[in-house]
């Protein structure tokens, strides 16, 4: 396999990385909103949040992408492929991240909250200084995990017309008849990307407060 | 998640499905000219019409649409999807016309409008070079033959299979390139596709593949595909006129020679397809 073919795979992986990271950050912002709705405990907010999570966790990402791509034009929103891909990945990862955040907040030890109340902290201070740091700390490993999952799941966005790493590998394998070398290279590139993400995640995690070293 | 909210959600999704609001611009030709770009949908696994050569999208379609674009005074923007996703996306308005091309069939003509044909689509078999067990189309009886999913070639192969003493073991692939790869790897005995396609593949990979002649079944043709509604009529008329002009002044024959190695006659329109 030539350097030129490998270069094309690396170029395509830029799409993979860009779409994945943009989606993870947008997804995180939506997840904060959704988990916030869950935390209010009011059914007016909780019910839609629960529906959001059930829908985007319950429907396969492939179906979501095809729905977004083919359904939005019916309501007058004809978005380009790349936007459809980012919407699909963002909403899907938001559902998982919201559940992670909810789990994080639920795992904040009650004793800590009670102690904070004893020393006279207001509910708002308790939320900001006790609950948020602990919940974020507890959900961080799951967030890194989610980033890796989305990087791999991004191979599905080829169904809406984006030539990312997997699709480029398929195209090249089809035109060069070198499937083994090309898919091995694509696998290697995914491995390197995810290894970097895991490494960076580990570094950040070790700097978070309250970590046993 | 309560039953109630799930139900509401499902009803909402169903309503969205039903809402095929025709909010598009009334005249697609005017919209295309105003935007200065004609959006063309296709898959890139159908050599020599559309394929990837060292990472670049090339083929007869690319050259031909360049000419059509010149005639219409617009640029061409390509949207490439897996083949079974192309028709839903056309109906969703993701692009104005499908390059494909697709075999002109009765079933498709009921729903879509075809341009003048640009090539013959009669089906033939591609085998591994030196395979002595297949010397005529009938020899594929009982053998594993690959074909593209959701293609007219699949229908033609099925029909042919019915006429054989033992049925063909038909393997459906998402894209033809994958079936060629499996043929090269010896997982299947042959690939059924239209003659221009397999003739091109055999020429590209001399020593690996061979064409089994003659083609079988009824004569059919390839055309580009658009929507049948009134909104799209002016655009499709304009594309038809451009293609007939390109055919009349010999540019079509030049392109056919470039991509198929030979030019051939096609009718100006197919009114009553064989399939």
């Amino acid at each position: 396999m030539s350097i030129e073919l490998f270069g094309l795979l690396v170029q395509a992986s830029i799409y993979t990385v860009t779409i994945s990271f943009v989606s993870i950050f947008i997804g995180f912002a939506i997840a904060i909103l959704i988990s916030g709705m869950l935390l209010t405990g009011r059914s007016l907010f909780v019910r839609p949040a629960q529906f959001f999570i059930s829908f985007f966790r319950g429907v396969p990402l492939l179906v979501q992408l095809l729905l977004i791509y083919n359904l939005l034009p019916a309501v007058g929103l004809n978005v380009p492929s790349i936007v459809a891909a980012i919407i699909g990945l963002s909403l899907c990862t938001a559902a998982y991240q919201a559940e992670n955040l909810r789990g994080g907040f639920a795992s904040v030890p009650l004793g800590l909250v009670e102690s904070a109340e004893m020393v006279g902290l207001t509910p708002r201070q308790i939320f900001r200084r006790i609950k948020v740091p602990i919940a974020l700390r507890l959900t961080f490993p799951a967030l890194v995990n989610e980033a890796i999952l989305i990087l791999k799941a991004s191979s599905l966005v080829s169904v809406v017309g984006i030539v990312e790493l997997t699709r480029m590998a398929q195209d090249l394998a089809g035109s060069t008849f070198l499937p083994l070398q090309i898919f091995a290279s694509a696998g290697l590139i995914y491995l390197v990307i995810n290894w970097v993400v895991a490494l960076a995640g580990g570094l950040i995690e070790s700097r978070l407060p309250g970590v046993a070293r | 998640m309560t039953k109630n909210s799930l139900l509401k959600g499902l009803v909402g999704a169903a309503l969205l499905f039903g809402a095929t609001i025709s909010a598009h611009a009334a005249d697609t030709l005017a919209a295309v000219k105003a935007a200065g770009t004609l959006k063309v949908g296709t898959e890139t696994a159908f050599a020599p019409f559309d394929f990837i050569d060292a990472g670049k999208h090339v083929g007869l379609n690319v050259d031909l649409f360049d000419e059509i674009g010149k005639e219409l005074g617009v640029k061409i923007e390509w949207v490439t999807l897996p083949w079974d996703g192309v028709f839903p996306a056309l109906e969703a308005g993701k692009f104005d016309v499908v390059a494909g091309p697709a075999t002109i069939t009765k079933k498709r003509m009921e729903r879509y409008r075809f341009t003048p044909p640009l090539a013959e689509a009669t089906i033939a078999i591609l085998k591994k070079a030196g395979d002595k067990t297949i010397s005529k189309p009938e020899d594929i009886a009982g053998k594993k033959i690959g074909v593209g999913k959701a293609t007219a070639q699949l229908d033609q192969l099925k029909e042919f299979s019915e006429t054989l003493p033992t049925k063909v073991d038909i393997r459906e692939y998402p894209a033809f390139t994958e079936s060629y790869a499996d043929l090269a790897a010896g997982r299947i005995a042959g690939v059924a596709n239209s003659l221009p396609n397999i003739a091109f593949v055999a020429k590209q990979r001399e020593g690996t593949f061979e064409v089994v002649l003659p083609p079988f079944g009824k004569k059919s043709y390839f055309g580009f595909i658009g929507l049948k509604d009134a909104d799209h009529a002016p655009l499709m008329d304009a594309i038809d006129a451009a293609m007939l002009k390109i055919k009349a002044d010999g540019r079509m024959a030049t392109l056919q020679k470039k991509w198929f190695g030979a030019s051939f006659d096609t009718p100006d329109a197919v009114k009553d397809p064989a399939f």
Side-chain angles (χ1 to χ4, degrees):
Chain A
M1 204 180 104
S2 69
I3 295 284
E4 188 198 0
L5 291 179
F6 193 78
L8 288 167
L9 288 176
V10 173
Q11 261 175 36
S13 70
I14 294 170
Y15 267 102
T16 294
V17 171
T18 313
I19 290 174
S20 303
F21 276 88
V22 171
S23 301
I24 286 160
F25 284 111
I26 296 176
F28 188 64
I30 301 172
I32 291 173
L33 184 78
I34 297 289
S35 60
M37 285 165 75
L38 288 173
L39 284 175
T40 61
R42 290 189 198 158
S43 65
L44 177 68
F45 296 116
V46 172
R47 289 279 175 79
Q50 282 175 335
F51 175 73
F52 179 91
I53 291 173
S54 306
F55 184 83
F56 288 103
R57 278 203 316 180
V59 176
L61 179 57
L62 184 65
V63 176
Q64 288 174 32
L65 286 166
L66 289 171
L67 268 177
I68 288 165
Y69 190 63
N70 289 310
L71 198 62
L72 285 186
V75 292
L77 272 174
N78 202 344
V79 295
S81 293
I82 188 129
V83 178
I86 288 173
I87 293 175
L89 284 178
S90 300
L91 293 176
C92 182
T93 187
Y96 285 94
Q97 291 188 43
E99 270 299 278
N100 287 341
L101 284 174
R102 190 192 59 77
F105 277 103
S107 307
V108 174
L110 197 60
L112 278 179
V113 178
E114 282 170 353
S115 316
E117 280 168 356
M118 287 281 286
V119 298
L121 292 184
T122 64
R124 173 170 250 185
Q125 284 173 318
I126 292 173
F127 183 76
R128 227 181 52 218
R129 299 199 180 167
I130 311 283
K131 286 184 177 170
V132 168
I134 292 176
L136 283 182
R137 163 78 196 88
L138 288 171
T139 49
F140 191 76
L143 180 66
V144 175
N145 211 13
E146 182 62 22
I148 289 173
L149 286 174
I150 284 296
L151 268 158
K152 290 190 289 182
S154 70
S155 67
L156 293 174
V157 303
S158 64
V159 297
V160 297
I162 291 178
V163 185
E164 40 62 62
L165 181 49
T166 300
R167 169 76 177 282
M168 179 59 90
Q170 283 170 338
D171 281 345
L172 292 180
S175 59
T176 59
F177 297 97
L178 298 169
L180 183 62
Q181 294 88 323
I182 287 174
F183 288 124
S185 309
L188 189 73
I189 295 173
Y190 275 115
L191 195 64
V192 168
I193 295 170
N194 282 326
W195 177 74
V196 170
V197 170
L199 200 72
L203 269 176
I204 296 170
E205 198 183 334
S206 69
R207 270 145 219 250
L208 288 176
V211 179
R213 275 171 231 204
Chain B
M1 182 84 233
T2 59
K3 240 185 189 167
N4 203 2
S5 58
L6 178 68
L7 202 70
K8 273 184 206 158
L10 287 177
V11 169
L15 281 177
L16 271 178
F17 265 118
T20 42
I21 304 162
S22 50
H24 313 291
D27 180 348
T28 319
L29 179 63
V32 163
K33 290 221 162 152
T37 40
L38 176 67
K39 282 192 189 167
V40 188
T42 196
E43 68 156 353
T44 49
F46 204 56
F49 294 96
D50 276 306
F51 62 107
I52 302 293
D53 184 19
K56 262 191 81 181
H57 178 197
V58 294
L60 174 70
N61 287 348
V62 178
D63 290 352
L64 190 48
F65 266 101
D66 276 348
E67 297 298 328
I68 294 171
K70 272 182 218 158
E71 292 299 322
L72 299 182
V74 294
K75 272 195 297 210
I76 304 294
E77 184 187 325
W78 292 94
V79 180
T80 63
L81 295 178
W83 183 243
D84 39 12
V86 167
F87 286 99
L90 172 70
E91 299 200 16
K94 306 304 295 191
F95 30 76
D96 309 302
V97 61
V98 169
T103 310
I104 303 173
T105 64
K106 286 192 181 91
K107 219 165 79 189
R108 284 176 176 156
M109 274 179 88
E110 278 168 24
R111 195 162 178 89
Y112 303 108
R113 176 171 162 176
F114 279 92
T115 64
L118 59 145
E120 201 182 311
T122 312
I123 191 169
I125 297 290
L126 184 73
K127 66 169 181 177
K128 237 182 151 169
D131 181 353
K132 296 216 165 50
T133 64
I134 305 176
S135 57
K136 55 186 184 302
E138 287 74 18
D139 293 340
I140 62 170
K143 288 200 160 68
K144 284 181 200 162
I145 300 296
V147 68
K149 210 161 84 185
T151 60
Q153 289 80 12
L154 171 63
D155 298 338
Q156 295 177 56
L157 179 63
K158 275 184 182 159
E159 193 168 294
F160 181 65
S161 171
E162 292 298 323
T163 67
L164 298 173
T166 3
K167 279 190 190 151
V168 177
D169 183 358
I170 298 174
R171 302 289 162 109
E172 293 177 33
Y173 287 83
F176 273 102
T177 46
E178 288 157 27
S179 66
Y180 300 141
D182 265 9
L183 178 61
R187 291 196 189 94
I188 49 176
V191 173
N193 198 356
S194 299
L195 187 57
N197 299 88
I198 62 166
F200 178 80
V201 174
K203 211 180 91 199
Q204 290 290 100
R205 304 287 293 181
E206 242 172 298
T208 308
F209 299 130
E210 261 175 48
V211 181
V212 182
L213 288 171
F216 56 88
K218 298 165 197 152
K219 213 168 201 183
S220 54
Y221 293 96
F222 277 128
F224 299 134
I225 313 99
L227 291 174
K228 237 180 162 175
D229 56 33
D231 291 356
H232 286 80
L235 174 69
M236 294 308 288
D237 288 344
I239 292 176
D240 285 4
M243 281 178 72
L244 289 176
K245 191 174 164 202
I246 291 162
K247 190 180 152 189
D249 65 17
R251 275 179 285 170
M252 181 88 91
T254 311
L255 289 179
Q256 286 174 342
K257 229 175 255 162
K258 175 178 171 190
W259 292 105
F260 304 133
S263 65
F264 40 83
D265 274 334
T266 49
D268 281 355
V270 176
K271 291 266 184 303
D272 187 27
F275 286 91

